[in-house]
Amino acid sequence: MAVQSTLRHSAAEEAIATFVEKYGELIRTKLRSTSKTTRLLCTLALATSIILAGEGTRRKWKRKREERETGRKLVRTNSWLHNKDGSRTIYVPYKDGTSKVVISSTKPLTFEAHRRLFLNPPRVSGLGDGHVPAAQTKPGLNLAFLHQFLSLMSIMIPRWTSKEAGLLVSHGAFLMLRTYLSLVVARLDGEIVRDLVAGNGKAFLLGLAKWCGLGGFASYTNAMIKYLESKISIAFRTRLTRYIHDLYLNDNLNYYKLHNLDGGVGQGADQFITQDLTQFCAAAANLYSSLGKPFVDICVFNYQLYRSLGPLALTGLLSNYFLTASILRKLSPPFGKLKAVEGRKEGDFRSLHARLIANAEEVAFYGGAEMEKTFLNKEFKSLKNWMEGIYMLKIRYNILEDFILKYSWSAYGYLLSSLPVFLPAWGGLGGATEVAGATAVKGGRERERMKDFITNKRLMLSLADAGGRMMYSIKDLSELAGYTSRVYTLISTLHRAHANAYYVRGRENELYSLSDVQGTIQKGFDGVRLENVPIVAPGLWPQGGEELLESLSLIVRRGDHLLISGPNGIGKSAIARVIAGLWPVYRGLVSRPKNNGEDGIMFLPQRPYLSIGTLRDQVIYPDGEADMREKRKNEYDLKRALEQAKLGYLPDREGGWDTRKEWKDVLSGGEKQRLAIARLLYHEPQYAFIDEGTSAVSSDVEGLLYETCKEKGITLITISTRASLKKYHTYNLVLGLGERGDEWEVQRIGTESEKMAVEKELHDLRERLAQVEKWKKRREEIETELNKVWVGGQEEELGAPAYVVGEEQQKEEEQDRQTEAEETQDEYQEAQSRVMSDDEGDETETEEQRTGTEGSGIVV
């Protein structure tokens, strides 16, 4: 016989056992009553669901594995993926793997919709006469700040269903929860003190347990508030940064115009985009909790204190708020303006350091460390003095602020808390309790009075904290106004450059200013054409530019290679800037191919640019690895381009195509220029501007590079002062002619007129060489005359002192004569070599080129 268990089961265990037994029996009954077909179908459905779930899990795991492999590959090759909607998917390193980020470009319609907010602000906002940015508008708490902040909010929160709106709602929910917890804590604090005074130990311990549980939940709430505030700040910064990048880096070349043409943001936009934008987003995210939460607290706590202390206390509280706000508002320094100027000075100091880093080698060659240190110390001293002035203003303001908000408000709070005791008729519910408890037991009344006082004190402290944060927010708002003005100025200037909205109200346009652009740029032309185009070096808006060439007209067809020559500073590179769209076309017509790069036009600047990234990125710039694959090119094509540029050894020397280095420091000057030619050979454009692109390359390699480019079918337009490059070109545009240097002429290389000009130059040099002996003899006569003096009307020849007529003087005279003869001889040899090169070109050109028929490509 089995021994019965003597273990006793709890009521909860018995309830669970009864529940399991009841529903288990119900399921077994149902199964017994079903047919075999139904059970078979259920079994098949269960098996199918298990198989499908397993297959889905396998596919999901496989997709994640492929995504990780793709991410590692794209990070290694510094590439991305193009999506069908025009966005890009990039992978960034994150912990031990990669993280996928989808970047969507801002739509042009969004820019057009926002343009009126930044370029045409309402006049009631006080932003000047409608011009933005308006220098006469000082950053501060005014309508201009309100318009600027709301305009930026339309970018940070584009719609109510956005991620940023959801974060704000969650943040607001936690802030309301913390207000409710503050009320519960105040009430619980009074109950604990009451039970302690009454000696009720059980109730006291229960209150402590509630306090600890409430404290854990309140700590979680406070942590979530700070976390969500940080998330909001990052979300705001992400929206603004991507918006600014889309407006800053586009085909309109705003990143160039902003610094070289507009000048609305000073020396650079880096200070605005990095530091000012970060501070603005942090201040804007903090504004929601530092201004919205205290306002809700004030409303809730005032209502509670009105119930406890009566209408007199509420009237006193409200009057205290208005009095404190008016005092602080009147005595508050202009923190917004001070912060804006501080940000500008920080940007100037930072730009000096960036300038020193970018030109460190040149400064080192000149030995200019002391001069650069003087500039840096001077700028830093200006920044330091300004910041010290701000700190002195903050000291005086903080003394007044702390005394009013901490000590004066505390004394005033104690005074209001005493109203139910000393003025029961005006004390609200607390006064009614005092009147009703006048006949009660003395000890009970004192305990209730203690409870009410502690509760009211806690509410007063919370109210004082909320009011203090409201008053402190006046200073925070002033600083936010400064940051807002800086960011708004950046975006409005970008919109102005993007829309070319340069116009002046009330006065005439200055000649060759950005508001005086009347020329036209035509893209899609098979060639390069300029018709009556003045070459003007533009000035910063609203100043006018400086005219370099009055009117230039020419046409370059395919296969007609053009050499642009002339003295330095005459405007050779300016022609490339006008055609590339960097400088405005003030008058006339400029026609050029539509695309940059493949089957279009490409520009090689004087200083070769090397981007960050791999060796592959240096060759295919500005393409990425994904663009290279779309063009059906691979590393073999890149290797061939490097070999044609005489750089085939680079991949092996540097460690492969995926090697990442600071390439501007690794490669020599000649290698940089040859790498630029390799880019040209990779992209294979129809036309190419080469601005002193081979100045650091030897003559023999230079000739091979030019011949290779011509074999690829690239029409070369070269800017150079080297006469040796003429043999690789068909025409020569000579600048700097005339008495004032403002005339120009297009010459066909190898024509009879050019030969006659060179022969004339040789004849002049021969005549000058023949006169060398005559000049030497005349020099000796002059020296003899200079050694004679007149004494007393008689001519007496005085010999020179011995230290003058020494060997050094004889050597110097002989050296001067040799130098003059050598210079003349060099000029003669150079002219003779030019004639020989022209003769060689004549032997290879066709009959049509020698006679200069109507098929010539340059039309002047």
Side-chain angles (χ1 to χ4, degrees), residues 74-331:
L74 293 179
V75 168
R76 186 180 68 253
T77 58
N78 194 28
S79 185
W80 57 83
L81 297 176
H82 292 286
N83 299 326
K84 294 182 179 179
D85 58 351
S87 61
R88 288 186 178 186
T89 299
I90 64 173
Y91 289 84
V92 296
Y94 180 72
K95 295 182 179 179
D96 296 333
T98 58
S99 177
K100 184 173 71 172
V101 180
V102 178
I103 299 179
S104 301
S105 301
T106 306
K107 298 179 180 179
L109 291 177
T110 303
F111 289 144
E112 295 179 4
H114 289 168
R115 194 171 296 160
R116 61 179 181 83
L117 298 175
F118 294 94
L119 297 184
N120 299 303
R123 293 183 180 273
V124 70
S125 64
L127 290 172
D129 57 349
H131 290 85
V132 179
Q136 65 272 20
T137 304
K138 298 180 180 180
L141 302 180
N142 45 35
L143 290 177
F145 162 67
L146 182 62
H147 170 76
Q148 292 171 352
F149 185 75
L150 293 179
S151 300
L152 296 177
M153 285 294 291
S154 65
I155 301 175
M156 296 185 293
I157 309 177
R159 53 190 177 276
W160 291 110
T161 58
S162 62
K163 172 186 174 183
E164 292 78 10
L167 288 174
L168 286 175
V169 171
S170 302
H171 192 220
F174 275 98
L175 289 174
M176 296 297 294
L177 180 60
R178 191 173 70 175
T179 301
Y180 173 74
L181 290 177
S182 300
L183 292 175
V184 176
V185 167
R187 192 175 298 111
L188 184 59
D189 192 11
E191 294 177 358
I192 291 175
V193 173
R194 180 197 61 189
D195 296 333
L196 178 62
V197 172
N200 190 348
K202 185 176 180 180
F204 175 73
L205 293 177
L206 182 60
L208 287 180
K210 292 180 180 179
W211 182 274
C212 293
L214 193 61
F217 191 65
S219 300
Y220 169 76
T221 303
N222 293 331
M224 285 301 298
I225 288 174
K226 294 180 180 179
Y227 170 74
L228 289 174
E229 183 177 324
S230 302
K231 290 286 289 182
I232 291 172
S233 175
I234 294 176
F236 283 171
R237 186 181 180 186
T238 302
R239 284 281 185 184
L240 283 175
T241 301
R242 291 184 178 178
Y243 184 90
I244 291 174
H245 283 175
D246 290 338
L247 199 57
Y248 184 59
L249 298 163
N250 51 35
D251 295 336
N252 200 43
L253 307 178
N254 292 336
Y255 55 91
Y256 178 86
K257 296 179 180 178
L258 197 67
H259 311 302
N260 298 280
L261 302 180
D262 191 288
V265 295
Q267 297 184 0
D270 54 345
Q271 172 75 13
F272 288 82
I273 299 176
T274 55
Q275 186 171 349
D276 294 332
L277 185 62
T278 303
Q279 293 175 340
F280 166 75
C281 293
N286 184 57
L287 178 67
Y288 191 61
S289 58
S290 64
L291 196 62
K293 169 64 167 53
F295 178 75
V296 176
D297 288 350
I298 287 175
C299 295
V300 174
F301 294 150
N302 275 329
Y303 175 71
Q304 292 293 328
L305 289 173
Y306 168 74
R307 294 185 58 193
S308 301
L309 302 178
L312 182 61
L314 179 62
T315 304
L317 288 172
L318 294 178
S319 61
N320 185 38
Y321 293 148
F322 288 113
L323 180 62
T324 303
S326 60
I327 293 175
L328 295 180
R329 179 84 166 80
K330 187 174 183 180
L331 300 180

Side-chain angles (χ1 to χ4, degrees), residues 370-383:
E370 289 297 326
M371 181 61 67
E372 295 298 325
K373 184 168 67 175
T374 302
F375 294 150
L376 289 172
N377 289 339
K378 181 180 178 181
E379 191 63 39
F380 179 74
K381 185 177 181 181
S382 174
L383 173 62

